[in-house]
Amino acid sequence: MKRAYKFRAYPTGQQEGRAVRLLADHCDLYNAALQERREAWRMCKVSIRYGDQSAQLQEIRTDDPNGHGGHSFTAQQQTLRRLNAAFAAFFKRVEAARRARARGEQAPNPGYPRFKPYKRFNQVLFVAGDGAKWEPADGGRWAHATFQAVGRIKVNQHRAVNGRVKTLQLKREYRRWYVVVVAEEVAEPLLATGRVAGVGVGVARFLTTSDGEIVANPRFLDKARTRIADLERRKARAKLGSGNRRRLRRQLARQWRQVSNQRRDFHHKTARALVNAYDTIALEDLRVANMTRSAKGTVEAPGRNVAQKSGLNRSILDAGWGQFASILTAKAESAGRRVVLVNPAYTSVDCHACGARCARPRQDTVVCPVCGEHDADVNGARNIATRAGLGSGQALVA
């Protein structure tokens, strides 16, 4: 399996300048390749593939020895693969929209891949040993990462990197630099606990297990909203290009980074506790993007309760269910545990004991016509366990 390690990097002033130039040149390559694909289809109805553009790289490097010719060839191939992945995702969205419309459903127009501005092209991927080298910290604080056309950069390695290093990524997050090390390692299974659980996620509570354990929702964004809104208002009033506006942008970036780091840390710790406690974990296969679509509607058919839906969408995105599921799955794989995804339909309102459809007079309670009142979140978690084949209820299996 592969595991990624993210470390803070501290380039010198000259190295930072070369790193900025590296990102800009790769951004130019990405945009030029995108332009070629667009024009080939618009003018000749010809599809350009990754292999075609990769074959042109040598000629581009020869014609520009002081620019593209000075960068790693394999790193430039990774940038072209990044564009190819964007087109693969675009064609997948096109097909999904076509199928939805064939069923008579409304579907959003799939967004065509867009050109990247310099300020939003923030990472370059290198293959270890080909344009990049990783030197771990041997008993000291500093490790080093060497990138072609940038140099040997100091890295604060706060944890050991296990396994064979496969790729290195140089990444910029506003004014900070990071090195992402991806290593291939052998999974180390944990000892079996003999326990299994269904896990339901929510907004009022972050998660509830079929055993009745509850993890509260920390609501990191809600706690920071006042400060973020104040900074946004001050930035909107600041003069474009002024030093005050730049300082406010830095403060905003710091606030958003803090919220993101807090959420990610919470997800890692919660996922680790679940993986340590259970051999098999069942989760709902949620489509968060569909759940957080706007309720505004159209001019002909305007939506209802737009403000309430907007608040619900913000709470769902603040909880970060998608990121949590990804982290939990990765930790389970490395520990030899199993994660099962099940159909989420009606898990909260079907009785876990008899399968009857329940009434839901309040958000936290469901009432079964046969079995009586249940905690809605615990009932949902037990239905999830049943659908994954982990429980002994009579609810319908997805």
Side-chain angles (χ1 to χ4, degrees), residues 184-224:
E184 193 172 59
E185 61 184 47
V186 178
E188 298 181 2
L190 297 176
L191 294 176
T193 64
R195 300 176 65 193
V196 297
V199 175
V201 294
V203 172
R205 303 167 179 170
F206 178 71
L207 69 81
T208 305
T209 71
S210 53
D211 294 342
E213 297 181 13
I214 296 171
V215 177
N217 186 358
R219 300 180 182 272
F220 296 114
L221 181 57
D222 278 359
K223 295 176 182 177

Side-chain angles (χ1 to χ4, degrees), residues 70-356:
H71 297 303
S72 167
F73 180 76
T74 54
Q76 291 173 324
Q77 286 182 314
Q78 301 305 318
T79 297
L80 294 180
R81 287 193 176 100
R82 178 177 171 181
L83 175 64
N84 198 61
F87 270 92
F90 165 68
F91 293 132
K92 186 177 180 180
R93 293 193 298 271
V94 170
E95 180 63 19
R98 185 191 66 78
R99 291 180 179 178
R101 289 170 183 145
R103 296 192 299 266
E105 302 173 0
Q106 289 187 348
N109 292 325
Y112 193 83
R114 294 181 294 179
F115 294 103
K116 300 281 189 182
Y118 289 143
K119 65 181 181 180
R120 296 191 64 183
F121 196 94
N122 293 320
Q123 54 193 2
V124 174
L125 182 66
F126 291 80
V127 176
D130 191 350
K133 179 182 178 183
W134 172 249
E135 301 172 50
D138 294 328
R141 177 185 177 186
W142 299 108
H144 292 86
T146 303
F147 298 99
Q148 184 175 334
V150 177
R152 187 168 179 260
I153 300 174
K154 288 199 308 183
V155 179
N156 182 11
Q157 185 183 349
H158 60 271
R159 60 182 300 193
V161 175
N162 299 318
R164 181 184 175 189
V165 176
K166 302 292 288 184
T167 62
L168 294 170
Q169 186 179 75
L170 182 62
K171 186 174 184 179
R172 176 182 61 191
E173 292 185 5
Y174 197 59
R175 300 182 72 188
R176 293 187 176 188
W177 293 88
Y178 295 89
V179 171
V180 180
V181 182
V182 177
E184 193 172 59
E185 61 184 47
V186 178
E188 298 181 2
L190 297 176
L191 294 176
T193 64
R195 300 176 65 193
V196 297
V199 175
V201 294
V203 172
R205 303 167 179 170
F206 178 71
L207 69 81
T208 305
T209 71
S210 53
D211 294 342
E213 297 181 13
I214 296 171
V215 177
N217 186 358
R219 300 180 182 272
F220 296 114
L221 181 57
D222 278 359
K223 295 176 182 177
R225 275 185 64 195
T226 302
R227 175 64 174 162
I228 289 174
D230 178 62
L231 290 171
E232 289 283 7
R233 283 191 294 267
R234 290 166 60 189
K235 184 172 76 74
R237 292 194 297 264
K239 183 178 178 181
L240 291 175
S242 66
N244 186 41
R245 187 180 177 87
R246 285 195 297 271
R247 284 190 292 272
L248 289 168
R249 287 181 59 195
R250 287 198 294 270
Q251 293 177 40
L252 265 173
R254 189 180 303 115
Q255 287 291 326
W256 281 112
R257 182 170 60 245
Q258 182 179 8
V259 171
S260 177
N261 289 343
Q262 288 174 329
R263 184 186 297 118
R264 187 180 301 107
D265 179 69
F266 170 72
H267 287 167
H268 274 284
K269 291 177 178 177
T270 305
R272 171 51 58 193
L274 289 173
V275 168
N276 288 345
Y278 300 105
D279 295 336
T280 303
I281 303 164
L283 282 177
E284 294 171 294
D285 188 12
L286 298 173
R287 298 291 188 265
V288 178
N290 294 340
M291 296 171 67
T292 54
R293 283 180 181 166
S294 173
K296 290 182 179 179
T298 63
V299 175
E300 295 78 12
R304 296 181 298 173
N305 300 323
V306 175
Q308 293 88 333
K309 184 63 169 66
S310 177
L312 176 61
N313 290 351
R314 183 171 57 247
S315 297
I316 292 173
L317 295 173
D318 185 22
W321 299 336
Q323 177 177 268
F324 173 72
S326 298
I327 291 173
L328 178 63
T329 302
K331 289 186 182 297
E333 181 184 4
S334 66
R337 306 300 204 204
R338 191 164 67 105
V339 173
V340 182
L341 298 178
V342 303
N343 185 351
Y346 303 111
T347 52
S348 296
V349 293
D350 283 352
C351 179
H352 70 274
C354 66

